[in-house]
């Protein structure tokens, strides 16, 4: 059995204070570094992915294009590009637009406690989705997305709803 992936534990200023197995950090709700990526196309639509049902939490929910945790010793920008290729099969220039902490109770008794860095990029082609990571994907306009999140909030991941709210509060347009 492979060793559990280690993630970076941080303080409230995003300074590394240790490492821990990914599942253990989510079982105990310990603050750790994470990132979410939003990819937009030239039509102004955002690419969503539907998390694979078999994921260890939030399976089957719609969310941002890609999200994960940097590995121990990996800078966050390298991690975003690595993970975008692993999950969605492409890469593109990315820039960070916002960061914040949040906590949430997830399914399967897990807790989220993340220092989340949000990145954006532009890409116009279809992804080559890794089926271990995502069951589906789609392009959607921000207007349609906001209406659907308001009407069907339980279809979306907790962190994605927070990202959208923070972007709206801070008047961030990608």
């Amino acid at each position: 059995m492979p060793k559990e992936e280690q993630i970076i534990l941080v303080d409230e200023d995003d300074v590394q204070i240790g490492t821990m197995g990914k599942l253990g950090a989510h079982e105990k709700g310990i603050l750790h570094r994470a990132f979410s990526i939003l990819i937009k196309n030239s039509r102004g639509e955002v690419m969503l992915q539907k998390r694979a049902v078999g994921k260890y939490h939030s399976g089957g929910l719609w969310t941002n294009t890609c999200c994960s945790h940097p590995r121990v010793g990996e800078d966050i920008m390298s991690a975003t590009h690595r993970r975008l290729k692993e999950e969605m099969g492409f890469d593109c220039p990315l820039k960070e637009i916002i960061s914040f902490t949040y906590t949430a109770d997830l399914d399967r008794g897990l807790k989220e406690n993340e220092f989340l860095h949000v990145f954006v990029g532009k890409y116009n082609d279809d992804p080559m989705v890794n089926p271990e990571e995502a069951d589906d994907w789609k392009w959607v306009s921000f207007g349609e997305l906001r209406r659907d999140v308001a009407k069907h909030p339980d279809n979306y991941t907790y962190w994605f709803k927070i990202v959208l709210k923070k972007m709206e509060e801070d008047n961030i347009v990608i």
Side-chain angles (χ1 to χ4, degrees), residues 119-173:
F119 291 81
V120 297
K122 291 195 176 174
Y123 184 76
N124 283 308
D125 295 322
D126 291 349
M128 294 179 52
V129 175
N130 178 342
E132 292 179 9
E133 301 296 335
D135 287 339
D136 201 0
W137 72 277
K138 63 183 174 181
W139 290 110
V140 62
S141 72
F142 274 99
E144 182 183 339
L145 176 60
R146 282 194 278 288
R147 286 188 296 276
D148 198 57
V149 168
K151 193 172 182 178
H152 306 286
D154 293 342
N155 291 347
Y156 295 88
T157 61
Y158 188 85
W159 62 88
F160 184 47
K161 291 181 281 190
I162 292 174
V163 167
L164 293 173
K165 183 178 179 190
K166 291 271 187 193
M167 287 175 62
E168 188 173 320
E169 289 172 352
D170 293 351
N171 292 315
I172 297 172
V173 178

Side-chain angles (χ1 to χ4, degrees), residues 73-84:
E74 180 181 43
D75 69 86
I76 198 156
M77 186 59 80
S78 297
T80 59
H81 290 287
R82 170 186 55 81
R83 200 64 188 146
L84 189 55

Side-chain angles (χ1 to χ4, degrees), residues 45-78:
E45 299 165 318
V46 65
M47 180 187 291
L48 303 185
Q49 74 154 266
K50 188 173 189 180
R51 287 173 61 88
V53 172
K55 296 286 281 184
Y56 72 107
H57 70 75
S58 307
L61 297 179
W62 286 99
T63 195
N64 47 284
T65 311
C66 174
C67 56
S68 192
H69 310 90
R71 293 177 176 156
V72 176
E74 180 181 43
D75 69 86
I76 198 156
M77 186 59 80
S78 297

